[in-house]
Amino acid sequence: MYPSLGSESSSGVVAGLDPSDVRLHTIRPANGKDIGSDEDADDGDADGQAADKTNDKPKKRNLQFKDGRRRIDFVLAWSVKSDKSEKGKEHAREARRIFEENLVKEGLQIEKDERGAETHFAKIHAPIAVLKRYADILKIRMPMREDLSSEHIEERYADWKGPMQSVGTRLWQKSIQLFRRLLVPFSYDQTILPPQSRPYTCPYSAGKEYLFEMPKNEEDYFSQSTRSWIVDYILRRKPYAVIKENNFAFGIKKMISDEYYTAAYPLHEGHWKAGSAENKRKILYDHWASWRNCLKFQPIDHIRLYFGEKIALYFAWLGFYTTMLVPASVVGLCVFFYGLSIMNSNAASREVCDSNNNIIMCPLCDAQCPYWRLSDACTHVKVSRLFDNAGTVFFAIFMSFWGTLFLEFWKRKQATIQYKWDMTSFVQEEEPPRPEFLSKLENWNDMKINPVTGLKEPHLPFWRRRFPIFLTSYTIMLVLAALAVAAVIGVIAYRVSMLAALQLIPAQVVSNHTVVTTTAGLIYENASLVTTVTAALINLLIIILLNLVYGYLAFWLTDWECLRTQSEYDNSITIKLFILQFVNYFSSIIYIAFFKGRFVGRPGKYRTIFGGRQEECEAGGCLIELCIQLAIIMVGKQLIQNNFIEIVVPKVIKLIKRKLAKETREQKLAKTAWEKDYILQPAQSMSLFYEYLEMVLQYGFLTIFCAAFPLAPLFALLNNIIEIRVDATKFTTDLRRPLAEKSANIGIWYSVLYGISRIAIISNAFIIALTSDFIPRLVYQLRYSDDGTLNGYVNFTMAYFNTSDFGIDNMQRNVSLGKVDMCRYKDFRNPPWEDPNYRRSTAFWHILTARLAFVCVFENVVVVITSLIAWLIPDVPTLLKEQIRREAYITNEIVLKTELRRAHGEEVTRDLIQAINYHLSDDESVPRYSPQLSDDGTNVTHRKSFGTNPMSDSPEETVITAGSSSDKGSSGRPNSKTYV
């Protein structure tokens, strides 16, 4: 029978509430044992914001049931005011009743808070017996007893000590120690957040509790994150309907989807504001999320203890990525300063800026634009040499190696984290169907038995149902990608028309002294720069707007595909959003890098699109335009989307809500912890998705176009320092406490990062070969220069054009420089006096061959070296492999020896365990590894027979397997296979 819900006494009065409205219910387990108290308890959660009148210490947050003993592990909330009909409300009440009844049968304890006029709550507590049972089922690894895992280790394994270390090894260790001392100022306060040492662990087994360190208060054995994870595991599997035909009427996620509940969340462990009582949340805010810690390392282990492995792994990856940006930033700065040092002194810049050369350039547009002198582009050419130099090639090669090292070292870091967090053997559980999937197919008749669960599930035939949807979905994606390309074409049209309009400003205005004419003169002189910057800003605005459209449509398309599991849904939305945003952000950059100025033709015979001339690169080349475009989009994205939207907008919204709220301070203080957490933003499952997507796109900016913008790693480093604190603040202050989900890796994002690294090698090879002037300069020095220098290089790159060859429609009417018979343009073509005139010159084909050869050599050499680096660096450190094997070995020996004593009828006591632990290395009956070598140089393994016992199998036949466990049989006979 489901326990009756009796009203509480009116003694539990909260300020501002009628005692008759106060109803706190305690649901007792099915065995009828009273586990709660109806006596009044202080539910007024000051949340650390006020001090007790009789005590100066701040008041701690109330995280217990009314009895003050049982901890609240989870909270369920539902809305009283609903738009549903009375029948719908009754159906929801019945569903909640059945669901809560099943939770109680499972052993969970529930206490209700129905005081609110709009929202009611059910507080859930998991007794230690339930936690142990599910820890055994889920094989959660728990710390072993300290006397088992550490006592006499030194004596037992004394012969494992290796020979004297080499001088090189000792120097390396000294260097590491010195480096760590230099990092001390960047370390967090380890007196407040002490380092978390990893104890020996093994999967929990109720039949082998002698292995585990049990505290005096057993309720403290499992951390709060583990407790909430176990409770969530139960909540996701309990049915809320009696009808057996409805196989999928189960789980808290489905109930929230059906609006039977509005939220399910664990509680934060206190308040984060100054003056509140000391708690884990406040400690994390003060020593991690606070801005004064922006240059400190992160307490990853403590983040994991509070938020769980999945969120901690994101911050570990982000912190590692940010740290790896430091050497990239230093190298990028060195390349930038090298460019500064040569921008005025290199031969090409001097030749362009020498007005005595009197090189007259052909007009930039037909009919209206004037002839102009090459020396007018002096500043532009100097700035372009800032990034277009030999250092660019070095930086591109460096970043290719950096990307490989980053991914390889992350795999090693991830392996270490997995071991430390006991995620080495973590296997993702079988996922149930998504609630949205079941809701859409509620009346679907085509059912199929799931081969894993054995349950009948709605089945969508691939060719008749899924294939047409997928085909339509990705066709729409192509249309959306084409929309981004169309936006780029629109920006190109703006640039062409804007540049032509600015060229019409008469040059004479420069000599006037009025503000208007002086400004107009500056614009005329810097027409190319003004056009490039304004076009990039317009493009950035279009990108931000398209991102909003893409985000909405990507989710709509993925919902339409009706994917079964959350992992399938997450992977699909990841691919869609990444592809769409990649095209959106990079299409304009790709155009400038690889297409602009490639197919413009020549004076008198320009190629046109829709009647207009194509864009040309400036005198300094397209690389500086690529740099400006990349800088504005990357930095603008970080400032607007990452910082303004994530920092300023939430503060403004919070300020508005605070102004509109009419609650008094007393009313705020009267709210309970679950009420205060309920009004926070929910921690959505897609929260980390957007964080990863943001960083992966940044990684694309860094690597794919690093040759054009060496300062990109520096800007990314500064952004990420801010990003870590913004995300930390969001999780600690703005969101409800997320479920402590487990994850052993960063998922599909590693594959995306690897793909970007491969694309970056090809991209940078083509940028250096096609966009920069590195190859033409190299060919000129080696093949055409008389003295092996760049003297005369600018003249070498300029072709001649006879102005009499202009057509009537293209004849220039602006003759401010007088009559011009011959003008120059940047190309490798024959002069008009050679036959055939204006055809590609021999130098053009030499340079083209050199460019293609450079691409092939660069790609193959870098790919081979990076692949060799990846092969040489093991994914798991050698010491870690040995540590994992050693832990399994110690655990197996302890279990074998103890189980043998139990088989002989001896009671397992602490003294017995210590005796076993002490004599493990001395008892020759224990098979153990010895590092001593035999005469032939092989390791010697000592193994002797235990003897047999009629109650058990021969110990020699015992199978020892790491990562699992078994219990003693009910008859007292141990199983023949012992899993540890």
Side-chain angles (χ1 to χ4, degrees):
M1 294 293 293
Y2 187 70
S4 59
L5 304 180
S7 300
E8 294 289 327
S9 63
S10 60
S11 59
V13 179
V14 179
L17 295 176
D18 189 340
S20 62
D21 292 335
V22 178
R23 294 189 296 163
L24 293 176
H25 306 300
T26 299
I27 300 180
R28 301 170 182 171
N31 60 12
K33 185 178 178 180
D34 190 356
I35 54 172
S37 172
D38 291 342
E39 295 179 4
D40 178 40
D42 185 11
D43 283 323
D45 179 20
D47 223 9
Q49 299 180 46
D52 195 328
K53 293 180 180 179
T54 60
N55 196 340
D56 292 336
K57 293 183 178 180
K59 190 176 181 181
K60 290 187 177 181
R61 184 173 240 196
N62 178 23
L63 300 174
Q64 284 80 30
F65 279 13
K66 285 180 61 64
D67 57 14
R69 294 184 293 104
R70 291 171 293 161
R71 184 184 179 92
I72 301 172
D73 297 315
F74 227 85
V75 174
L76 306 180
W78 66 94
S79 177
V80 178
K81 295 183 178 179
S82 175
D83 296 334
K84 293 182 178 180
S85 61
E86 286 300 323
K87 184 177 180 180
K89 292 180 180 179
E90 181 60 32
H91 184 68
R93 282 193 292 268
E94 180 65 13
R96 287 194 295 268
R97 186 192 68 80
I98 296 174
F99 183 68
E100 291 167 4
E101 182 181 33
N102 288 326
L103 295 182
V104 173
K105 289 179 180 178
E106 194 63 33
L108 299 181
Q109 300 169 2
I110 302 175
E111 184 177 78
K112 288 192 175 182
D113 179 358
E114 298 184 345
R115 296 172 298 176
E118 297 182 356
T119 307
H120 291 174
F121 301 89
K123 298 168 285 182
I124 298 176
H125 168 75
I128 188 63
V130 176
L131 297 174
K132 287 183 177 180
R133 184 169 76 249
Y134 274 91
D136 196 352
I137 294 171
L138 299 174
K139 301 304 175 191
I140 298 176
R141 298 184 70 90
M142 300 300 294
M144 295 174 61
R145 283 168 52 170
E146 187 176 353
D147 56 336
L148 291 178
S149 58
S150 61
E151 191 172 321
H152 308 302
I153 289 290
E154 190 68 25
E155 295 89 339
R156 189 186 316 159
Y157 296 103
D159 54 354
W160 281 42
K161 292 181 179 179
M164 182 179 294
Q165 295 177 335
S166 64
V167 176
T169 302
R170 282 180 287 174
L171 286 176
W172 174 254
Q173 291 179 348
K174 291 291 185 182
S175 301
I176 294 296
Q177 292 175 1
L178 177 61
F179 180 71
R180 288 177 177 172
R181 288 176 184 173
L182 294 176
L183 295 180
V184 168
F186 303 101
S187 300
Y188 55 86
D189 190 349
Q190 296 187 356
T191 60
I192 304 297
L193 295 167
Q196 297 291 309
S197 59
R198 184 194 186 279
Y200 281 116
T201 63
C202 69
Y204 179 83
S205 174
K208 299 183 180 65
E209 279 202 354
Y210 58 82
L211 288 174
F212 305 100
E213 190 72 45
M214 299 298 294
K216 292 183 179 179
N217 182 7
E218 286 191 336
E219 292 291 336
D220 297 332
Y221 184 52
F222 295 94
S223 66
Q224 183 59 30
S225 58
T226 303
R227 297 175 68 102
S228 62
W229 185 70
I230 292 176
V231 173
D232 177 75
Y233 183 88
I234 299 172
L235 294 176
R236 285 187 284 118
R237 280 157 178 76
K238 290 303 161 187
Y240 58 87
V242 179
I243 304 174
K244 295 183 178 180
E245 287 75 10
N246 191 354
N247 290 329
F248 300 104
F250 70 89
I252 187 63
K253 290 186 177 180
K254 186 70 167 62
M255 297 191 74
I256 293 176
S257 176
D258 293 341
E259 298 182 352
Y260 298 150
Y261 288 107
T262 56
Y265 53 93
L267 291 177
H268 278 296
E269 298 186 29
H271 208 283
W272 57 272
K273 290 186 177 180
S276 35
E278 199 73 5
N279 60 81
K280 294 180 181 178
R281 184 188 185 189
K282 184 177 185 298
I283 291 173
L284 281 177
Y285 178 80
D286 291 341
H287 300 276
W288 172 49
S290 176
W291 287 102
R292 62 175 175 267
N293 303 306
C294 63
L295 297 179
K296 301 283 187 180
F297 289 110
Q298 302 180 88
I300 296 298
D301 292 329
H302 293 272
I303 299 170
R304 173 235 177 181
L305 292 175
Y306 193 82
F307 291 110
E309 286 79 4
K310 189 173 184 178
I311 292 176
L313 191 63
Y314 161 73
F315 282 105
W317 175 81
L318 181 55
F320 181 80
Y321 170 47
T322 304
T323 304
M324 287 291 291
L325 284 174
V326 174
S329 302
V330 172
V331 175
L333 275 174
C334 291
V335 172
F336 176 75
F337 288 128
Y338 170 75
L340 279 176
S341 67
I342 68 168
M343 62 181 294
N344 294 314
S345 60
N346 69 89
S349 298
R350 292 198 306 268
E351 191 173 345
V352 170
C353 297
D354 189 358
S355 59
N356 295 327
N357 291 330
N358 197 29
I359 298 176
I360 305 299
M361 302 297 293
C362 296
L364 297 176
C365 63
D366 296 333
Q368 299 297 327
C369 293
Y371 296 101
W372 55 286
R373 288 186 174 87
L374 180 61
S375 58
D376 294 341
C378 176
T379 303
H380 190 276
V381 172
K382 285 183 177 181
V383 174
S384 68
R385 292 296 172 264
L386 186 63
F387 300 102
D388 188 0
N389 53 66
T392 299
V393 181
F394 167 76
F395 187 67
I397 297 173
F398 170 81
M399 288 302 292
S400 298
F401 294 154
W402 175 87
T404 300
L405 291 173
F406 163 65
L407 294 177
E408 292 304 314
F409 284 136
W410 166 247
K411 284 195 290 187
R412 291 169 62 86
K413 175 76 171 178
Q414 184 174 263
T416 305
I417 290 174
Q418 288 173 352
Y419 170 71
K420 191 172 184 180
W421 294 352
D422 290 319
M423 303 298 292
T424 306
S425 58
F426 174 74
V427 178
Q428 195 74 34
E429 61 183 283
E430 177 64 20
E431 290 187 86
R434 295 170 56 243
E436 296 82 359
F437 172 81
L438 300 175
S439 298
K440 284 189 175 183
L441 302 179
E442 189 172 359
N443 299 319
W444 191 257
N445 296 322
D446 190 357
M447 308 293 284
K448 187 177 180 180
I449 295 178
N450 186 297
V452 177
T453 63
L455 298 175
K456 283 187 177 182
E457 295 182 2
H459 173 64
L460 297 175
F462 179 79
W463 291 108
R464 289 190 294 108
R465 173 75 183 214
R466 289 198 178 278
F467 180 76
I469 293 178
F470 287 154
L471 183 62
T472 307
S473 177
Y474 285 94
T475 301
I476 295 175
M477 278 189 61
L478 290 176
V479 174
L480 294 175
L483 183 62
V485 176
V488 172
I489 295 174
V491 174
I492 293 171
Y494 164 80
R495 271 202 296 256
V496 172
S497 58
M498 187 67 176
L499 184 60
L502 294 179
Q503 289 293 334
L504 297 179
I505 299 176
Q508 287 79 3
V509 298
V510 179
S511 61
N512 297 330
H513 297 287
T514 62
V515 176
V516 175
T517 54
T518 302
T519 303
L522 289 174
I523 294 175
Y524 173 75
E525 290 179 352
N526 300 280
S528 175
L529 180 62
V530 171
T531 303
T532 301
V533 172
T534 55
L537 291 173
I538 292 173
N539 193 27
L540 175 62
L541 180 61
I542 294 174
I543 286 172
I544 293 174
L545 295 177
L546 283 180
N547 271 348
L548 299 176
V549 176
Y550 285 166
Y552 174 80
L553 291 179
F555 277 97
W556 180 78
L557 290 174
T558 309
D559 290 337
W560 188 37
E561 291 173 4
C562 202
L563 298 172
R564 177 182 174 273
T565 65
Q566 189 63 41
S567 294
E568 293 174 354
Y569 184 90
D570 292 344
N571 290 339
S572 180
I573 194 65
T574 298
I575 293 172
K576 288 185 179 65
L577 271 179
F578 176 75
I579 291 176
L580 290 174
Q581 294 206 16
F582 186 90
V583 173
N584 192 24
Y585 279 111
F586 294 107
S587 54
S588 61
I589 300 173
I590 292 173
Y591 162 74
I592 295 175
F594 304 121
F595 297 101
K596 184 177 180 180
R598 307 290 172 208
F599 315 104
V600 295
R602 61 171 177 82
K605 197 177 180 180
Y606 286 111
R607 295 188 179 97
T608 61
I609 297 179
F610 303 114
R613 274 175 55 178
Q614 297 183 43
E615 283 190 289
E616 296 181 60
C617 293
E618 297 298 320
C622 279
L623 193 66
I624 184 62
E625 294 183 51
L626 177 61
C627 176
I628 294 173
Q629 185 83 5
L630 184 63
I632 289 178
I633 291 178
M634 177 183 173
V635 178
K637 172 186 178 296
Q638 292 178 170
L639 289 176
I640 297 175
Q641 182 174 339
N642 301 3
N643 297 331
F644 179 77
I645 294 179
E646 292 189 13
I647 299 176
V648 179
V649 173
K651 290 186 178 297
V652 172
I653 293 175
K654 189 180 293 186
L655 181 63
I656 293 174
K657 287 183 177 180
R658 189 177 301 163
K659 294 295 183 182
L660 295 177
K662 299 180 180 179
E663 289 182 324
T664 63
R665 178 177 176 82
E666 289 72 18
Q667 289 175 323
K668 290 180 180 180
L669 295 178
K671 283 188 175 181
T672 58
W674 43 95
E675 289 176 314
K676 292 183 176 180
D677 282 4
Y678 180 73
I679 62 177
L680 296 176
Q681 294 294 320
Q684 302 288 350
S685 60
M686 299 299 291
S687 298
L688 287 182
F689 167 81
Y690 286 108
E691 306 300 339
Y692 275 116
L693 178 62
E694 178 183 323
M695 291 296 106
V696 168
L697 288 173
Q698 182 196 87
Y699 183 80
F701 282 115
L702 291 184
T703 55
I704 297 178
F705 301 102
C706 64
F709 191 36
L711 293 178
L714 177 62
F715 285 106
L717 175 64
L718 297 176
N719 174 80
N720 289 4
I721 291 174
I722 299 173
E723 181 71 22
I724 291 174
R725 306 307 154 184
V726 171
D727 291 343
T729 302
K730 179 173 66 175
F731 278 104
T732 53
T733 66
D734 299 333
L735 299 180
R736 296 174 193 156
R737 186 174 185 176
L739 177 68
E741 296 182 76
K742 295 183 180 294
S743 179
N745 51 56
I746 61 174
I748 195 176
W749 295 111
Y750 181 86
S751 300
V752 175
L753 291 170
Y754 179 81
I756 289 176
S757 298
R758 299 294 98 178
I759 294 173
I761 296 174
I762 302 173
S763 172
N764 285 297
F766 277 100
I767 288 176
I768 295 170
L770 300 179
T771 310
S772 75
D773 283 343
F774 174 75
I775 299 300
R777 288 197 298 265
L778 188 63
V779 171
Y780 177 77
Q781 283 183 285
L782 299 177
R783 177 70 175 81
Y784 293 97
S785 177
D786 296 331
D787 55 0
T789 65
L790 288 176
N791 293 327
Y793 170 73
V794 173
N795 187 64
F796 169 73
T797 61
M798 296 291 177
Y800 289 88
F801 181 77
N802 193 330
T803 58
S804 62
D805 292 335
F806 275 122
I808 298 176
D809 295 335
N810 297 330
M811 187 66 69
Q812 304 305 307
R813 301 179 181 88
N814 191 327
V815 290
S816 57
L817 295 180
K819 181 175 174 54
V820 177
D821 296 324
M822 198 74 66
C823 66
R824 309 290 295 274
Y825 61 100
K826 191 172 182 178
D827 205 346
F828 297 97
R829 292 179 181 269
N830 293 330
W833 55 82
E834 286 189 10
D835 189 30
N837 59 357
Y838 304 132
R839 296 291 297 272
R840 298 291 188 185
S841 65
T842 305
F844 171 83
W845 299 110
H846 287 166
I847 292 172
L848 180 61
T849 303
R851 281 172 165 166
L852 295 178
F854 174 83
V855 170
C856 293
V857 172
F858 183 92
E859 286 181 9
N860 287 281
V861 170
V862 173
V863 167
V864 169
I865 295 177
T866 53
S867 300
L868 183 62
I869 292 173
W871 179 74
L872 290 175
I873 299 176
D875 293 347
V876 181
T878 304
L879 291 176
L880 179 58
K881 289 180 182 178
E882 294 176 354
Q883 182 70 12
I884 293 173
R885 293 171 59 190
R886 182 178 179 183
E887 177 177 329
Y889 173 75
I890 293 173
T891 306
N892 288 342
E893 286 202 336
I894 292 172
V895 174
L896 275 175
K897 193 68 175 177
T898 309
E899 288 297 308
L900 183 62
R901 297 293 185 92
R902 294 178 68 189
H904 285 85
E906 295 185 38
E907 183 181 355
V908 179
T909 63
R910 191 177 187 88
D911 294 336
L912 174 62
I913 294 297
Q914 290 178 344
I916 292 172
N917 184 63
Y918 183 79
H919 294 293
L920 269 176
S921 60
D922 300 327
D923 192 344
E924 293 185 353
S925 65
V926 180
R928 62 186 294 270
Y929 171 84
S930 172
Q932 299 174 359
L933 299 179
S934 62
D935 294 337
D936 60 354
T938 59
N939 288 325
V940 178
T941 302
H942 300 285
R943 184 178 294 272
K944 291 189 178 181
S945 173
F946 286 140
T948 58
N949 186 293
M951 295 293 292
S952 62
D953 297 330
S954 172
E956 280 105 354
E957 299 175 357
T958 302
V959 179
I960 312 298
T961 306
S964 56
S965 65
S966 68
D967 297 334
K968 185 177 177 181
S970 58
S971 63
R973 176 183 176 181
N975 295 329
S976 60
K977 293 185 178 182
T978 304
Y979 298 94
V980 180

